[in-house]
Amino acid sequence: MSLFDFARLLYRNAKAIGLVAVTMAVATFIFTYNAPKEYAVSALIYTGIASGFNLESGSADKIDYHAVNNAFDNLISIIQSRETQQEVLLKLLSKHIYLETQDGHNHVPEAFIEKYQLLLGEPENYVRSTSDSTYLHLRALFDDGDEKVKSIIDSENGPYSVGSLQTLEVKRHKSSDMLILYYKSTSPKISKETLELVIEVFTNRFRGIKEAETGNVVGYFQRQLDTAKNALSQAEDKLTFFRSGKRVINYGEQTKAIAIKKQNALDEYSRRKMNLAATQVALKEIEERLAIRESLLTKNAELIDKRNRLAELTQQMAHLQHQPDTEVSLSVLKNKINSYKSDIQKDLELIFNYSNTKEGLPSKQLLNEWLENIISLNREKANIEYYKQRLQELDNLYDSFAPLGSTLARLEREIDVREREYLEILNGLNMSKLRQQNIQMSNQLEVVDWPQTPTKAIESRRLFLVMTSFLFGITLMTSIFVAIDLLDHSLRSPGRTESVTGLPVAGALPHFDSKTDKQYPDLQQKAINHIIDRIGIENRKQLILVISAFAGEGKSTLSRLLTDKLELLGLNPQYFPLAVNQPNQERSASHMISMNIESEIENGFEGYTILQLPALVGRIIPKNLIESADQILWLGRADRSWTLAQQRLKERIEAMASGKIHIVLNGIKIYRLEDLLGDINPYRNESLKWIRRVVRFEFGLSFF
C-alpha cells in the first residue's frame, strides 16, 4: 500500500474514523466527570550500594555496575513483593481500626469509614489493646483465611486493597544511590501513612533478609568449628596417651641416640676383638720363646689357682669399669690383682729357675710381658662378653622402638589434618563474621526525605485521557480499515486485476445512481470510450463476445452500453443476448441464436456483432463461437475475488480463442477509476490537489 493509497483510504473513511474517535472521547469525558481527586506523596531513601563505605571497602576498589544494578533490582523487588504489600495493608488497617475504637473519627481518614463497616458488627474480634497487637491478630486471621479480612486486602479497590498499591512506583534516582518512592491515593492522610508503612516494612524485611544471609553461614561455621575442635582434641589426647604409655618423649632424638649408642658399641666391640686377637698372638709368641709348657704350669695347682683367681678378678674389674659409682670396689680389686700379680711373678720365677734350660735363662722382662698378656687376654674376653650383651640389649631396644615411628607419624598426621581443618573453618568463620558485620553496617537504609501530607491534589489528567481516547479511536479505526484493505482479496482495482487474473484490463464500469450521475455526468461515457479504445475499432466486421464466469456480473449493462456507443459511431452493431434462467429456455434460445450465428458466419458479418453469452461455469462452452470471436470481453465484479473455477475457465477459453481477451471490471469504486481515466473530478479545489501531489511525491521542484 502506497502513501497515496493510505491517504485515500483515510479520506474515504474519514467520517467513520472521526465518529468513533469523537464517541470514545465523549465517553471518556463522561466517565471521568466525577473522578475523585488524587493526592501524591514521595520519599527519598539513601542505600549506599555503590558509593557507601564498609569494612570491605578499599581505595582501589572498582564499582561493579552489574552488581549495583542487581542490588537495586533486589530492593525494588522487595518493595513490590506480595508479602510486603500485604503487611503494609494489614498494618494500615489495624492502625485505623484501633484509632476508630479509641478516638472515633477524629484521627481516621474518611475513606476508612466505609471499609470499617465490614468489621463493625463484632469489633471485639479484631481490636486488641494496642495497634501492634491488633496487627498481629489481623495477620493471624488473614493467614487463616478469614473472609472479611481477605475481602478487604485482596480486593481491587479501596485504601486497604492490593489494587490500591498498584500506584506505588519505585525507581532509582538517575545513577545515584537513592531510591525514589512515589504513591498516590484519594486521601492525603492515607497516602502519607501508606508510604511511611511501606518504608518501615521494606527496611525491616531488607535488614532481616541480609542478616539471615550471613546468620545461617555463621551458625554453620560455628557448628563445624566445634566439631573440628573436638576432633583435634581427641587426636592430641591419643598422641599424649601413646607417648606416655610407650615412654616416648622425642622419638627423633631418642632414635638418634640409640643409633649412636649402637654404633659406638659396634665400634668398641670390633676394637676389643682386635685387641683380643693381638693379645693371643703376642702371648703365643712369648710362650714359644719361653718354651713354657702347659703341662709344667698345670702341675703346679697353686699357680693355676692363682692365675684363675687373677682372671676372675680381672673380669670383675672390667665389668665394674662400665658401671657408675664403683671407685671403691675398683680400688679393692686393683689391690688384690696387684697382690696376685706379685705372688704369681714370684712363683713363675721359681718355676722358671727350676725349669730353665741350658740355652740361657729368659729375662725378667719376658716374664712380665707374658704375665701382662695373660691379664690382657682375660680382660679382653670379659669386655667382649660385655659388649655382646650390650649389643643384644640395643637390638632389643631397636625392635621395640622401630614400630613406634609409623604409629607416631600416623597420629601426628591426623593431628596435622585436624589442625588444618580447624584453621580453615576458623578462617571461614572469621570471614563470615566480618561479612555479617559489614552487612549490618551497610544495610542501614537512611530515609533522606520522609513523606509529607499533601495539601494539593494532583492536577486532573482528564484532558489527557480524553485526548488519548480520541487518538486511540482514530488509531483503532485506521488500523481496522487498513487491515480490511490488506485482507481484501477482491479484484477491486485494475492493477490488482491484471496481476491476479493475468488478463489485460479493457476498462471498468462504476456503480451509477442519481447522485453519481449528477456529480460525474460524463463519467459513464468516459468509461465506455476507454473500453472501446482498448479493444480497438476497425473498419471491418467483428464479433465481440461478452462473457462471465458467474451470473449477475453485469453483462447486459456492458452489452447495451457498447451497442449504444457503436451506434453513435455509425458502426451498425447487432446485439444478441443469450441470458436465460430455465434449461428449456436456454436450449431453445441457444438453438435459435446458434442458427443465426451460423448463418452469419456462412454469409459473413455485417458490421459489429455483440453476442452476450450466459454464465459459463457449469455450462458447455460454445467452442465455435469462441474460435470465431474477434474480441472477448470478460466481465468480472470488482467486489469479488478471483476463484479457481474462474482461473480454469480462463485457461480453457485461452486455449480455444483466436482473438484478444480483455477483462472489464464492473461495480468498481469511482475513485479507483483514476488508475484508468486519470483525475475524474475536475472541480476539486486547489488545496486537495496540492495534498494529492504531496502524498504522491509529485513536487516537480525546479530552482533554475
Side-chain angles (χ1 to χ4, degrees):
M1 178 183 290
S2 64
L3 178 61
F4 176 74
D5 293 334
F6 179 72
R8 187 165 60 183
L9 178 66
L10 295 182
Y11 178 76
R12 309 303 302 183
N13 300 283
K15 292 182 179 179
I17 295 174
L19 178 61
V20 173
V22 171
T23 302
M24 294 184 68
V26 171
T28 304
F29 179 83
I30 294 173
F31 291 144
T32 58
Y33 185 76
N34 293 322
K37 295 181 179 180
E38 292 183 328
Y39 297 85
V41 291
S42 62
L44 190 64
I45 300 178
Y46 172 75
T47 62
I49 293 176
S51 60
F53 184 81
N54 52 55
L55 295 177
E56 298 177 352
S57 300
S59 58
D61 289 346
K62 295 183 179 180
I63 298 176
D64 187 352
Y65 290 100
H66 178 73
V68 170
N69 293 331
N70 182 62
F72 274 103
D73 291 340
N74 292 337
L75 292 177
I76 295 173
S77 298
I78 292 174
I79 296 175
Q80 295 177 342
S81 66
R82 177 181 54 83
E83 188 67 25
T84 301
Q85 293 182 356
Q86 289 178 354
E87 185 174 350
V88 169
L89 296 173
L90 287 171
K91 282 182 176 292
L92 183 66
L93 180 60
S94 61
K95 177 181 179 182
H96 288 170
I97 290 178
Y98 179 76
L99 291 176
E100 174 70 15
T101 57
Q102 298 296 320
D103 301 329
H105 300 327
N106 295 330
H107 301 286
V108 181
E110 293 294 333
F112 168 75
I113 304 301
E114 180 182 355
K115 292 294 180 182
Y116 181 72
Q117 299 302 324
L118 296 173
L119 309 176
L120 196 58
E122 297 177 354
E124 64 276 5
N125 294 334
Y126 305 97
V127 181
R128 293 297 181 265
S129 59
T130 63
S131 178
D132 293 337
S133 59
T134 302
Y135 160 71
L136 294 176
H137 181 61
L138 288 179
R139 177 87 246 186
L141 291 176
F142 180 81
D143 293 338
D144 292 339
D146 185 87
E147 294 182 358
K148 292 182 178 180
V149 179
K150 290 186 69 68
S151 64
I152 295 174
I153 302 301
D154 293 339
S155 62
E156 293 297 328
N157 51 26
Y160 313 104
S161 64
V162 176
S164 65
L165 288 181
Q166 298 302 317
T167 60
L168 177 63
E169 298 180 7
V170 187
K171 61 181 179 180
R172 183 182 180 184
H173 182 57
K174 298 180 180 179
S175 58
S176 67
D177 283 351
M178 303 291 185
L179 270 182
I180 295 179
L181 280 71
Y182 177 86
Y183 178 70
K184 62 182 179 179
S185 71
T186 57
S187 172
K189 187 175 181 61
I190 286 184
S191 297
K192 175 178 177 295
E193 292 178 348
T194 302
L195 195 56
E196 288 177 344
L197 288 174
V198 168
I199 295 173
E200 175 188 344
V201 173
F202 155 63
T203 52
N204 291 336
R205 292 200 69 197
F206 174 71
R207 188 178 299 111
I209 291 173
K210 284 298 183 181
E211 291 177 355
E213 287 180 358
T214 55
N216 296 333
V217 177
V218 170
Y220 167 78
F221 277 113
Q222 190 65 57
R223 292 189 298 271
Q224 294 298 316
L225 185 67
D226 294 339
T227 304
K229 185 177 181 181
N230 293 332
L232 179 60
S233 299
Q234 292 176 2
E236 291 175 344
D237 293 341
K238 288 169 62 177
L239 180 62
T240 302
F241 179 78
F242 179 80
R243 286 181 181 275
S244 61
K246 300 298 182 179
R247 309 181 69 85
V248 178
I249 299 175
N250 189 327
Y251 180 78
E253 294 296 329
Q254 286 179 283
T255 52
K256 183 178 179 181
I258 293 172
I260 292 174
K261 288 180 179 180
K262 185 175 182 180
Q263 186 63 41
N264 292 337
L266 285 173
D267 293 342
E268 187 67 20
Y269 178 70
S270 299
R271 189 174 65 81
R272 294 293 181 179
K273 288 177 69 176
M274 292 173 63
N275 291 339
L276 177 62
T279 303
Q280 289 176 345
V281 172
L283 183 61
K284 183 177 181 181
E285 291 178 354
I286 292 173
E287 288 179 346
E288 289 178 353
R289 290 173 63 186
L290 294 176
I292 298 176
R293 299 171 179 231
E294 185 66 25
S295 60
L296 181 61
L297 293 176
T298 56
K299 289 181 180 180
N300 193 339
E302 184 180 356
L303 182 61
I304 294 172
D305 182 64
K306 289 181 180 180
R307 189 189 66 175
N308 293 334
R309 183 61 180 164
L310 180 62
E312 292 177 357
L313 292 175
T314 304
Q315 290 180 356
Q316 290 179 4
M317 184 176 179
H319 284 289
L320 289 176
Q321 286 178 350
H322 298 283
Q323 301 295 328
D325 300 330
T326 57
E327 295 180 357
V328 176
S329 300
L330 289 174
S331 178
V332 174
L333 287 175
K334 285 181 181 179
N335 293 332
K336 289 181 179 182
I337 291 171
N338 292 331
S339 177
Y340 273 101
K341 284 182 180 180
S342 178
D343 293 341
I344 292 173
Q345 185 176 8
K346 291 178 180 181
D347 292 339
L348 287 174
E349 288 178 354
L350 182 61
I351 293 172
F352 181 77
N353 291 328
Y354 284 123
S355 59
N356 191 17
T357 61
K358 295 179 178 182
E359 284 79 9
L361 296 174
S363 65
K364 185 178 181 178
Q365 183 178 359
L366 291 177
L367 292 174
N368 291 334
E369 288 181 359
W370 179 84
L371 180 60
E372 290 294 332
N373 284 318
I374 289 295
I375 295 172
S376 297
L377 179 65
N378 294 326
R379 185 173 59 247
E380 293 302 329
K381 287 182 178 179
N383 286 331
I384 287 174
E385 290 297 327
Y386 169 76
Y387 279 106
K388 282 183 178 180
Q389 296 177 1
R390 182 61 177 165
L391 288 174
Q392 184 63 39
E393 292 176 358
L394 290 174
D395 288 338
N396 295 335
L397 186 60
Y398 253 84
D399 294 339
S400 63
F401 216 75
L404 303 182
S406 59
T407 305
L408 282 173
R410 185 173 66 253
L411 294 175
E412 290 174 351
R413 184 168 59 251
E414 182 181 0
I415 291 176
D416 181 63
V417 171
R418 297 297 183 184
E419 184 178 8
R420 283 190 281 112
E421 180 183 5
Y422 176 81
L423 293 176
E424 286 293 332
I425 296 174
L426 181 62
N427 180 63
L429 178 61
N430 292 332
M431 294 300 295
S432 61
K433 285 186 175 181
L434 179 65
R435 178 66 175 167
Q436 184 182 40
Q437 186 64 30
N438 179 60
I439 290 177
Q440 290 177 354
M441 295 176 60
S442 61
N443 65 8
Q444 301 296 327
L445 302 176
E446 297 292 336
V447 181
V448 179
D449 288 337
W450 281 95
Q452 303 294 326
T453 303
T455 57
K456 294 182 179 180
I458 304 175
E459 294 184 3
S460 176
R461 301 179 62 190
R462 189 179 184 188
L463 179 60
F464 172 76
L465 294 176
V466 170
M467 294 300 298
T468 302
S469 299
F470 180 78
L471 294 176
F472 178 75
I474 293 177
T475 304
L476 176 63
M477 294 307 297
T478 301
S479 301
I480 291 175
F481 285 121
V482 170
I484 291 173
D485 186 77
L486 294 177
L487 297 175
D488 186 8
H489 287 184
S490 63
L491 298 178
R492 77 175 179 269
S493 66
R496 175 174 171 78
T497 300
E498 288 187 350
S499 63
V500 171
T501 64
L503 296 174
V505 177
L509 296 176
H511 176 70
F512 288 98
D513 52 21
S514 58
K515 182 178 180 181
T516 306
D517 292 339
K518 183 177 180 181
Q519 187 176 1
Y520 306 99
D522 57 347
L523 183 59
Q524 191 177 60
Q525 293 300 319
K526 288 182 178 180
I528 294 299
N529 291 339
H530 184 272
I531 294 172
I532 293 176
D533 182 65
R534 286 284 292 170
I535 64 178
I537 299 176
E538 300 178 1
N539 294 323
R540 66 181 184 84
K541 300 176 182 179
Q542 286 195 32
L543 174 60
I544 301 174
L545 290 182
V546 179
I547 64 174
S548 68
F550 305 104
E553 301 284 348
K555 297 185 295 294
S556 300
T557 302
L558 176 62
S559 300
R560 286 195 297 269
L561 290 174
L562 286 175
T563 302
D564 294 341
K565 188 63 179 179
L566 292 174
E567 285 181 353
L568 291 175
L569 295 176
L571 298 177
N572 298 320
Q574 299 182 61
Y575 171 47
F576 295 97
L578 180 56
V580 294
N581 297 325
Q582 300 298 328
N584 56 352
Q585 294 178 357
E586 179 180 348
R587 286 194 297 269
S588 60
S590 177
H591 178 68
M592 178 183 65
I593 292 177
S594 297
M595 291 176 60
N596 294 334
I597 294 301
E598 289 175 358
S599 63
E600 289 285 347
I601 293 174
E602 293 176 356
N603 300 327
F605 290 105
E606 293 181 0
Y608 280 82
T609 301
I610 299 174
L611 178 59
Q612 175 189 338
L613 298 181
L616 297 180
V617 173
R619 288 186 171 87
I620 299 175
I621 299 175
K623 182 178 181 182
N624 58 336
L625 296 179
I626 299 298
E627 293 175 347
S628 302
D630 298 293
Q631 296 283 348
I632 299 176
L633 296 180
W634 186 311
L635 201 65
R637 295 278 300 180
D639 56 353
R640 294 180 182 175
S641 61
W642 185 257
T643 63
L644 182 61
Q646 291 173 295
Q647 180 66 25
R648 291 177 176 175
L649 179 63
K650 185 202 79 165
E651 294 173 356
R652 292 173 62 192
I653 292 176
E654 284 180 336
M656 299 177 186
S658 58
K660 297 180 180 179
I661 304 175
H662 292 81
I663 189 169
V664 177
L665 286 177
N666 189 23
I668 192 173
K669 299 291 185 181
I670 292 179
Y671 65 87
R672 294 192 183 276
L673 278 175
E674 292 183 351
D675 296 341
L676 298 175
L677 306 178
D679 192 359
I680 61 176
N681 188 4
Y683 306 106
R684 186 177 287 112
N685 57 43
E686 292 298 326
S687 61
L688 289 178
K689 290 181 179 180
W690 184 83
I691 293 174
R692 287 167 61 87
R693 293 183 61 189
V694 169
V695 297
R696 286 181 171 178
F697 297 100
E698 297 174 351
F699 300 111
L701 297 178
S702 177
F703 298 98
F704 301 101

